[in-house]
Every structure is written in C-alpha cells, then in structure tokens.
Amino acid sequence: MADTQYILPNDIGVSSLDCREAFRLLSPTERLYAHHLSRAAWYGGLAVLLQTSPEAPYIYALLSHLFRAQDPDQLRQHALAEGLTEEEYQAFLVYAAGVYSNMGNYKSFGDTKFVPSLPKEKLERVILGSEAAQQHPEEVRGLWQTCGELMFSLEPRLRHLGLGKEGITTYFSGNCTMEDAKLAQDFLDSQNLSAYNTRLFKEVDGEGKPHYEVRLASVLGSEPSLDSVVTSKLKSYKFRGSPFQVTRGDYAPILQKVVEQLEKAKAYAANSHQGQMLAQYIESFTQGSIEAHKRGSRFWIQDKGPIVESYIGFIESYRDPFGSRGEFEGFVAVVNKAMSAKFERLVASAEQLLKELPWPPTFEKDKFLTPDFTSLDVLTFAGSGIPAGINIPNYDDLRQTEGFKNVSLGNVLAVAYATQREKLTFLEEDDMDLYILWKGPSFDVQVGLHELLGHGSGKLFVQGEKGSFNFDQETVINPETGEQIQSWYLSGETWDSKFSTIASSYEECRAESVGLYLCLHPQVLEIFGFEGADAEDVIYVNWLNMVRAGLLALEFYTPEASNWRQAHMQARFVILRVLLEAGEGLVTITPITGSDGRPDARVRLDRSKIRSVGKPALERFLRRLQVLKSTGDVAGGRALYEAYAAVTDAPPECFLTLRDTVLLRKESRKLIVQPNTRLEGSDVQLLEYEASAAGLIRSFSERFPEDGPELEEILTQLATADARFWKGPSEAPSGQA
C-alpha cells in the first residue's frame, strides 16, 4: 500500500459550503447573474485539469463516466459484488472526491500526488464491470488503459508537481528545465507579454536544437481578429539564438463555453461597471489578451460594494514551478453585510495603520487607494482549492496605481478551519481550549490584516518605458544601508517575473508578518470588537497559530529535492524561524514521546514576550522584506528568504527529524462540497449536497447536466493532442544534468 502521505484517508473531513441564506436574499435578477457567472466559473475550472498533470483529464473523464451511469450507492453494490471491502470502496470514493475537489490528482495545497488506497486490480474489476463500461465499452476501457498506470504510479518524479527532474507539470512540456523557463520569461519580458495565460512547449529538432512554442489561452486560434495587439505578437521570433513561436488557442473549446455564459450574465449586470467588466473578460478569453483582462479588472475595482461579487481568469501563480503562470480560477459570492461592516471600519483606519508599518513613508504607495473589503459567502469557487481570503487583482501596475479589492470568504472560514480538540496536535494541554475558543476570531483578524494591509501595502520602485521614475532617486534612502537605492524594476518587469520561484511565498510571508505585527495594535482589536483580556487572548492565539502552522508546514517540504511545495506553508515556516531566532525563550519546540509510544512534539509560545521579544524581531525582518521587494533586489531577497526557508537537522530544532513527526501526526485538509445552481424556467434553484465523499461526487455528477459527455470528450481530445509533450514516467527529461 502507498505511503500515507500519498493517499487521502477514509476518515478525511468533508464539509458542505452553506450559502442558503445568502442565496435566499438575492433578487431574481441577482440570482440569474450569479447563476451564469457560476456556470462560466465551473466551465473554466475544467482547464485546471489540463494545467495539472498529463493524466488528470482522463481520470476526470473516467470518473464522470462511472458516476453518471451509477451513483455512488449503486456503484457500491457492484463493487462489493466484485470483491471489494467496504473500506476499499470508501477509499475509492474518497479518491474520486479528491480528484474533483482538487481538479486533478495532485493536492492543491502542497502539490503532492495522491493515489487510490486500494489494489489496482480490484479497481480495474470495478471499472471494467461497471454500468458505464457496459454502455460504452471501448471508451471506458480506453480511458482506463490511458490513465490506470499513471493513476497509481508513485515513481519519484511523479510524486510532486515540479519542473525537470523535480516533478511533473503541464504548464511546461516534459522536457523543459528551469533554464528553459528562465529563457522563456526573458523572452516574454522582451515582448511585453504576460506569462499568466501561457504554457511553454519545447521541441528539439534533429540537430538537437530547441524550438519553443508560447501558447496563449484563447477561443481564437490562427483566425484573424480585431485585437491588433495580440495578433501582432502571433509570429516567429529569434531570441538569444533560439526560435520562439507565439501561438494561441489553448483550452479553446472550454473558454468558448466560459464566454457564452459571460455573455448571458451581461444581461443581468447590476450596473455599467459590471457590464463593461464582463465585456473585457469576454474579449480577454476570446483573443488571449491579458491587457483586456486588466481592463476588465479596472472596471471590477470600480464596481464598489456589489451584492454579487465575482472574479474570473488566470489568477494565482502558486502551482507554476517557475511562479509566473496563472491557474484558472473563478468565484461567485454574496456579501455578508454584518462582517463586511467590520472590514469597512478596518479600511477606514487603513491609512493610519499603514504608518505603523516598519518602513519609511517613501516605501509606501504615494496615495492609499481605498479598496472594497467585504466578507462573502461563497456560492461557487472553481479551481483547485478554496482560500480563506483574497486580495486581487495580482497585476502589479494596477495594484500600484488603480487599487485592489479584498475579500474574506466567511462561509469557507466557518467550515475549513473549524478544529476538533481530539484532533489538535503539537500544542500544550493548557493551550488547547483557549486555541479552540479563539482560533476563529483571531483568524478573522489575521485574514483582514493579511489581505488589506499585507498584500495592499508597499511600493515598487519602477523606471517607466520612457525612462521616468516613480520615485525621487536623489532623496529616497534605503533604511537598511543609509544610502540611495541602487536597484528597481525596469519597464515590463513585474514582481512575479523578477522574483519568479520565490515570489509567491515571499509575498505571502510579508502579508502574514504584517498581520501578526498589526494585530498587536489596540485599534485593530477594537474594530473587531475585542478589548482587555479578550484582545490579549486573540493576539496570543493568532501568534500561537502561526507558530504551530510553521511546524505543520514541514509536511510540504521535500528533502530529496530540498524544495517547498506550498507557498503559504513555506511562508509560515520562515516566520517560525524568525521567531525562534529571536531567542529568549519566545518560542520553544520540545520533542516528546506520545501516549501511543510514537514520536510527538509540543510547541510553546511565551505570551509575556510577544511584545518585548517577538515584535522587534518581526519588525526588523518585515522591514528587510519590504525594502528588498520595493527595490527589486532579487539577489538580496533570495539570500534572505532562502536562508530562513532552509530545512536542516541542525540542533536545537532538528527540523528534518521533526518533519517525520509532523508526517506521522498530520491531518488531511478537508474536502469542501459546493452547491449547484439550476435554471428552471426563469427561476434559479439552489441544489445542495450532503457533507460526504459521495455528496461531493454527486455535486459534480450534476454540475454539467446538459453537456457532461461533450466536456469529457473535449478534455480528452485536448489532452491527447498534447500527449507527445510528456514522456513516460521512467524517462528523464532531456537536457538535464
């Protein structure tokens, strides 16, 4: 049987996302708007399968065939008749639910592969004897033959997402290396092209010379179009001696369905901002234009306080091994007015609180662009996973000059981060009850500060296309050196493109540090309704949670490759290291033997030293993070960040040994069941499902009632068309040392 880190346990937590009351309060027009946006998001989310692994689209299609022909209860009878135990069948249901929940066979949080926890031969009997196989024998057998081996394979290179020898990714062809990714980024920068909606494919000719294809995501392929900016880029180039070809049409039939639903949503837009936003998104997905998506994002920023909030596109770059390509994501949510009122008060205090951050005013934006900050109840979140909060758009130029929005996903927080005492690990007994009592409230505070004043703070120093600077070279002084700043961003360079592989984690670390630092401010706690002893408990549990999270993060470190697989968790480990380095007993980690005789550990935070020891240490670290980011000092940023992110077995912490303990005691991340919306005449109905693996599977079986088989055919055709770009699992990518 597979190592437990590569399977989802049968008792994995499953929760249903509750948005019934929020949906009930929507008007008929708002429901129609939300419905069509949800359809667009769910269609677009299928592209994630093609962004994850070569086999993911086939696995999805196979599972969809099975459960369309027989629901989980019906398939259970067949499976038991084929000799599976109840535990083995449940393991298969959990696996299938995991594929749907993660939009692929790699965990969205950690990028680790997961495989079915039952013998391959038994699963094969279930699949080939199923009702789906009776109805479509060649199709089902073909899908199984294509993905069966890869579904179970745990060959070293296939255990994690990564580039070259480090793992598997479908953002790049299988023969691409990190050097290819760097070359391609330099090429994209030279042409002022964003990597967000691209994939890179390399072919080697008979003379061993590489040829690169940069493929944009779009409905249109080679057809002429009105967007001269995009079409002018669709040609052959020579860059540093290598041929590059820019093409488009990636995920075309999927994006076509996204566009059709966005067109329908336009009819129910509440205002002109929403209508123009959708028009630009349609343009973006049709043409392959990130500039159009930026224009849509501008209208989105201007759409203040909508009842139905939504964002869609190629957004977060966490899963690109190079750190610059966006995963497709789409969410639709309804405003929670009570919690939003607290966030509005936080926004009102933002300019004052920004002055509390430990860097000079010249390192802050010239003008704070007051954002929307709302608490939302999610109706739909399509992609590989659901976060607790979001600060978007991610385009640096818009964030610096136009603004951004913050959202806290209230009904996600309510289910995803609920903690049972018996499942709490690594805490002292006398901390557990306090932790359970205050974890939720402290997390509300941390998410608010993280999104608004973490991601929303700080200035990037930029030299524009015409040579002008957005700062005064003569007067701006680096507080770390006392000298004029020596580096900045050139035109076309972005935070992601410049800091690449560490960009996401570094920025999450900065935002988390801002949250910890500012939660000490009495005004912040008052905004959230906490004073006196309650406020002190919220602070303590917030810091304790971060310290514990830093230890739990070790699950997402791969010793064999010496790398991290999850940006947020790497960020939390770095903060743990900073606080441990502060010394004076602020944080201690004590290995023990658990009551079961196996290795365990306890984390302790001395709450009396949070302000006297922890705050100064965090202040110094946070200032350095911001200065290096503002100045685009990649060498300095990497040296600082990678030193703290290093995992060794050096005493006193012995982190590699602690990692074994963390893996032994780990709890799998919950799966979340989302509802569907269904159009019945002119009314939109909300369809909800039970909180179980079977309920999650049913939600997907009913998600595409009109065109499920067509979508499965589209996915497998798109996967097959590019299959040659990924070699068999035993073959190493060419060009590797």
Side-chain angles (χ1 to χ4, degrees):
M1 197 58 65
D3 186 318
T4 56
Q5 67 176 305
Y6 302 111
I7 61 172
L8 304 178
N10 278 12
D11 63 351
I12 192 169
V14 185
S15 297
S16 288
L17 210 53
D18 182 9
C19 62
R20 186 183 313 151
E21 182 63 13
F23 184 80
R24 185 185 68 80
L25 295 172
L26 294 179
S27 71
T29 300
E30 289 164 348
R31 289 185 183 189
L32 285 162
Y33 183 65
H35 167 73
H36 290 297
L37 288 175
S38 292
R39 303 311 301 153
W42 285 125
Y43 280 126
L46 296 173
V48 177
L49 294 160
L50 295 156
Q51 294 181 300
T52 300
S53 69
E55 68 274 13
Y58 301 105
I59 296 173
Y60 174 92
L62 179 60
L63 294 175
S64 297
H65 271 74
L66 285 176
F67 292 113
R68 186 167 50 250
Q70 294 169 283
D71 77 13
D73 289 341
Q74 293 168 333
L75 193 62
R76 171 181 274 105
Q77 299 310 312
H78 163 62
L80 297 180
E82 289 288 352
L84 271 70
T85 64
E86 287 282 1
E87 291 73 22
E88 288 169 335
Y89 182 67
Q90 179 63 19
F92 173 56
L93 289 187
V94 166
Y95 175 79
V99 170
Y100 286 134
S101 185
N102 292 278
M103 268 291 109
N105 56 330
Y106 287 76
K107 296 175 187 175
S108 64
F109 206 80
D111 297 339
T112 304
K113 188 174 187 179
F114 58 95
V115 300
S117 183
L118 72 158
K120 178 171 174 280
E121 300 72 27
K122 286 192 170 185
L123 181 55
E124 181 175 58
R125 288 206 303 272
V126 171
I127 289 170
L128 298 185
S130 68
E131 188 65 33
Q134 308 306 315
Q135 295 172 4
H136 305 282
E138 291 185 16
E139 208 170 333
V140 170
R141 183 173 290 276
L143 286 168
W144 174 249
Q145 288 175 345
T146 303
C147 69
E149 288 293 333
L150 285 170
M151 186 188 289
F152 281 84
S153 177
L154 284 173
E155 291 207 21
R157 189 185 169 213
L158 303 184
R159 292 174 186 170
H160 308 288
L161 297 181
L163 194 54
K165 287 182 177 179
E166 304 302 325
I168 191 74
T169 177
T170 46
Y171 283 111
F172 299 85
S173 55
N175 57 355
C176 281
T177 65
M178 191 58 76
E179 288 67 37
D180 294 316
K182 290 174 183 172
L183 178 66
Q185 186 63 58
D186 289 346
F187 164 72
L188 290 167
D189 288 344
S190 75
Q191 297 302 316
N192 203 24
L193 272 170
S194 170
Y196 271 120
N197 65 340
T198 70
R199 290 198 290 169
L200 183 70
F201 300 89
K202 179 173 83 169
E203 295 195 78
V204 180
D205 64 22
E207 299 175 358
K209 188 168 186 176
H211 295 247
Y212 299 96
E213 178 196 359
V214 173
R215 192 187 301 168
L216 311 180
S218 67
V219 176
L220 293 177
S222 57
E223 306 94 320
S225 68
L226 298 175
D227 191 323
S228 58
V229 176
V230 174
T231 52
S232 67
K233 305 282 189 183
L234 303 176
K235 59 184 181 182
S236 298
Y237 301 79
K238 201 84 164 181
F239 183 75
R240 294 183 187 165
S242 293
F244 276 82
Q245 179 82 29
V246 177
T247 66
R248 68 178 173 188
D250 217 1
Y251 327 115
I254 291 172
L255 292 177
Q256 177 64 48
K257 289 183 176 288
V258 174
V259 165
E260 288 168 1
Q261 292 298 323
L262 294 178
E263 288 281 10
K264 291 178 179 178
K266 270 175 63 181
Y268 306 105
N271 53 53
S272 62
H273 289 314
Q274 289 181 1
Q276 293 176 91
M277 168 190 81
L278 294 177
Q280 292 298 328
Y281 291 165
I282 289 165
E283 176 81 0
S284 173
F285 300 141
T286 302
Q287 306 284 353
S289 168
I290 289 296
E291 287 305 313
H293 197 268
K294 283 186 180 181
R295 292 193 294 271
S297 298
R298 285 190 178 95
F299 288 119
W300 179 71
I301 293 167
Q302 293 164 22
D303 183 27
K304 302 290 187 183
I307 299 299
V308 177
E309 183 63 282
S310 177
Y311 197 67
I312 188 169
F314 295 90
I315 312 298
E316 302 293 356
S317 55
Y318 301 128
R319 299 183 95 190
D320 170 12
F322 189 72
S324 58
R325 285 153 190 81
E327 182 175 85
F328 195 95
E329 184 178 284
F331 79 85
V332 184
V334 183
V335 171
N336 178 317
K337 292 183 179 178
M339 181 56 85
S340 294
K342 294 181 181 179
F343 290 134
E344 285 169 15
R345 292 198 293 275
L346 187 64
V347 170
S349 304
E351 287 190 81
Q352 181 183 344
L353 291 170
L354 282 170
K355 296 174 185 175
E356 302 293 326
L357 291 172
W359 49 77
T362 50
F363 280 70
E364 198 48 72
K365 297 183 185 73
D366 300 333
K367 184 180 187 315
F368 181 69
L369 301 162
T370 305
D372 250 13
F373 198 159
T374 50
S375 177
L376 305 176
D377 285 341
V378 171
L379 174 65
T380 293
F381 205 112
S384 64
I386 312 180
I390 317 170
N391 176 288
I392 39 182
N394 287 335
Y395 305 119
D396 293 332
D397 48 350
L398 294 193
R399 296 169 67 84
Q400 296 285 315
T401 60
E402 308 266 347
F404 52 90
K405 283 188 184 181
N406 300 278
V407 296
S408 174
L409 305 180
N411 60 341
V412 176
L413 284 167
V415 297
Y417 297 93
T419 306
Q420 296 174 294
R421 195 182 197 281
E422 60 271 20
K423 291 191 174 183
L424 263 183
T425 54
F426 306 122
L427 290 181
E428 297 283 0
E429 183 70 26
D430 55 4
D431 276 333
M432 288 188 177
D433 290 333
L434 196 70
Y435 182 88
I436 289 170
L437 180 63
W438 291 109
K439 184 187 177 188
S442 72
F443 207 71
D444 283 337
V445 174
Q446 179 68 10
V447 168
L449 294 171
H450 173 116
E451 301 297 347
L452 175 66
L453 297 166
H455 291 314
S457 64
K459 178 175 181 172
L460 302 186
F461 297 136
V462 179
Q463 182 179 14
E465 205 168 348
K466 297 179 181 177
S468 61
F469 292 85
N470 70 342
F471 65 100
D472 188 334
Q473 286 181 282
E474 300 298 320
T475 62
V476 176
I477 300 298
N478 184 327
E480 294 293 301
T481 64
E483 301 172 354
Q484 294 174 346
I485 67 168
Q486 305 296 314
S487 57
W488 47 81
Y489 296 80
L490 301 176
S491 176
E493 291 182 334
T494 67
W495 165 249
D496 281 333
S497 71
K498 204 164 171 66
F499 281 72
S500 65
T501 53
I502 67 166
S504 292
S505 182
Y506 188 113
E507 174 59 10
E508 291 304 326
C509 186
R510 198 181 69 88
E512 292 282 42
S513 298
V514 166
L516 281 189
Y517 186 76
L518 287 180
C519 84
L520 297 168
H521 200 288
Q523 185 180 353
V524 169
L525 280 304
E526 288 171 14
I527 287 169
F528 284 88
F530 305 118
E531 295 179 340
D534 286 353
E536 291 303 310
D537 284 343
V538 167
I539 290 168
Y540 175 63
V541 169
N542 195 30
W543 279 62
L544 180 63
N545 185 50
M546 188 64 68
V547 169
R548 177 176 180 263
L551 180 60
L552 295 177
L554 288 167
E555 175 190 342
F556 302 94
Y557 179 77
T558 308
E560 300 81 8
S562 300
N563 67 11
W564 286 88
R565 306 187 311 276
Q566 217 291 326
H568 296 79
M569 299 309 282
Q570 180 182 6
R572 291 162 189 168
F573 176 78
V574 167
I575 293 172
L576 170 62
R577 288 284 307 274
V578 170
L579 298 180
L580 281 165
E581 191 180 89
E584 298 187 43
L586 173 68
V587 175
T588 53
I589 304 173
T590 308
I592 64 169
T593 300
S595 57
D596 56 3
R598 299 188 297 173
D600 204 344
R602 293 290 177 267
V603 170
R604 181 173 286 280
L605 170 69
D606 187 335
R607 67 188 297 169
S608 70
K609 295 178 180 175
I610 289 174
R611 285 184 172 85
S612 61
V613 179
K615 184 181 179 183
L618 196 62
E619 185 174 285
R620 290 190 297 272
F621 176 66
L622 188 49
R623 181 170 52 247
R624 292 179 71 192
L625 284 180
Q626 183 57 52
V627 168
L628 293 164
K629 180 183 179 181
S630 289
T631 58
D633 184 351
V634 178
R638 282 192 175 277
L640 172 72
Y641 200 70
E642 290 174 351
Y644 277 111
V647 180
T648 71
D649 226 17
E653 287 81 26
C654 304
F655 281 120
L656 284 175
T657 299
L658 276 172
R659 179 180 178 273
D660 294 335
T661 303
V662 169
L663 289 174
L664 182 68
R665 304 281 177 182
K666 76 183 181 76
E667 181 184 356
S668 294
R669 194 171 173 84
K670 287 180 181 175
L671 304 180
I672 296 181
V673 183
Q674 298 187 54
N676 286 320
T677 55
R678 180 70 47 80
L679 190 58
E680 296 181 3
S682 59
D683 295 329
V684 180
Q685 302 298 320
L686 185 71
L687 306 180
E688 298 174 289
Y689 303 88
E690 67 177 23
S692 67
L696 200 158
I697 290 166
R698 287 190 182 98
S699 74
F700 268 88
S701 295
E702 297 180 11
R703 192 142 282 155
F704 304 106
E706 303 90 359
D707 51 6
E710 179 194 351
L711 290 168
E712 291 145 30
E713 187 175 352
I714 285 170
L715 285 166
T716 55
Q717 285 177 347
L718 291 174
T720 301
D722 289 328
R724 63 194 171 89
F725 287 111
W726 290 278
K727 298 179 183 295
S730 61
E731 298 179 60
S734 62
Q736 290 286 331

